[in-house]
Amino acid sequence: MGERSRRARRHWIHRMSELHPDILDHLLKLRLVVARFGEMDLAKWWNTRGQLGRLGAMALRRGFPRTHHFAQARSVFAVAAQRCDEVFDPPGCVTLWRLPEALEEEFDARWEHWIEHAAALQPFFEKLGALQATDLTATLRAFELASDRDVDALSRLRRSAEGRAVPLPGVFSGATEDVTLLALGFARGEHGALAVPYARRGDG
């Protein structure tokens, strides 16, 4: 890596480290909705069944009375990330589950805050647990996670020739719109046929 690339990477990491917490909260909710939508009892994209649904909550609540929602989420996030990597894992790119290191570090650091303020997220988890939708775009709109502008950007996305991926235009900037489109792009997949949205890295 040359000096110019190192400077670009340092700038990227510095910028990511100053993210407003609202972006991290938005990312958490996007991941939760896509993770639930992709389970085997809905879109059949990864091999968990209702783990983020009501049955999953009931199964874990006894062992994790305060943190069971987050235990559910960690588990499904990991399965979804692994499945996406199996389907399409391009070098030098990001997906909803594999974002730049600085952003992932900020996300992980925020986890304890979410657990401490679990009551604030309880209505969201309850709504998520009841999800029985077949339209991801409409679902993200219903959860107030995607705007008209985001949906318009989705309308211009297409699956790759082999059908396994959904390339986003430009490079990933870390903006809320980019993260949202990485989630919305899953809507280009089909029932039982995962297509992984991805964007080129912008950190050099």
Side-chain angles (χ1 to χ4, degrees), residues 61-76:
R61 186 179 290 119
R62 179 174 296 180
F64 304 91
R66 189 173 68 92
T67 63
H68 63 279
H69 288 309
F70 299 95
Q72 293 169 258
R74 285 281 200 194
S75 176
V76 183

Side-chain angles (χ1 to χ4, degrees), residues 44-115:
K44 299 184 184 298
W45 289 339
W46 29 83
N47 192 27
T48 60
R49 180 177 293 276
Q51 197 160 323
L52 277 168
R54 288 172 175 167
L55 289 178
M58 290 174 60
L60 288 176
R61 186 179 290 119
R62 179 174 296 180
F64 304 91
R66 189 173 68 92
T67 63
H68 63 279
H69 288 309
F70 299 95
Q72 293 169 258
R74 285 281 200 194
S75 176
V76 183
F77 289 178
V79 173
Q82 181 178 1
R83 179 58 183 154
C84 286
D85 284 350
E86 291 171 355
V87 171
F88 191 74
D89 185 20
C93 293
V94 299
T95 71
L96 182 65
W97 313 108
R98 305 290 188 199
L99 295 170
E101 290 81 0
L103 180 48
E104 292 290 359
E105 288 170 5
E106 292 291 328
F107 184 82
D108 288 342
R110 185 76 171 162
W111 201 257
E112 284 301 319
H113 171 87
W114 290 320
I115 291 175

Side-chain angles (χ1 to χ4, degrees), residues 84-204:
C84 286
D85 284 350
E86 291 171 355
V87 171
F88 191 74
D89 185 20
C93 293
V94 299
T95 71
L96 182 65
W97 313 108
R98 305 290 188 199
L99 295 170
E101 290 81 0
L103 180 48
E104 292 290 359
E105 288 170 5
E106 292 291 328
F107 184 82
D108 288 342
R110 185 76 171 162
W111 201 257
E112 284 301 319
H113 171 87
W114 290 320
I115 291 175
E116 290 172 6
H117 298 83
L121 284 166
Q122 183 66 27
F124 187 92
F125 278 110
E126 290 178 356
K127 184 176 179 180
L128 188 71
L131 185 64
Q132 293 294 329
T134 58
D135 184 330
L136 179 59
T137 303
T139 300
L140 288 168
R141 292 296 301 271
F143 277 84
E144 300 182 350
L145 296 173
S147 66
D148 290 341
R149 183 175 178 180
D150 297 322
V151 175
D152 181 63
L154 171 66
S155 71
R156 295 189 289 275
L157 299 185
R158 298 292 182 269
R159 280 188 294 182
S160 57
E162 76 284 355
R164 295 184 296 112
V166 182
L168 274 59
V171 298
F172 181 76
S173 68
T176 302
E177 293 80 6
D178 287 0
V179 175
T180 302
L181 200 54
L182 284 173
L184 270 172
F186 281 97
R188 286 287 173 260
E190 298 175 354
H191 187 80
L194 172 64
V196 182
Y198 72 96
R200 289 183 291 119
R201 293 180 67 120
D203 52 355

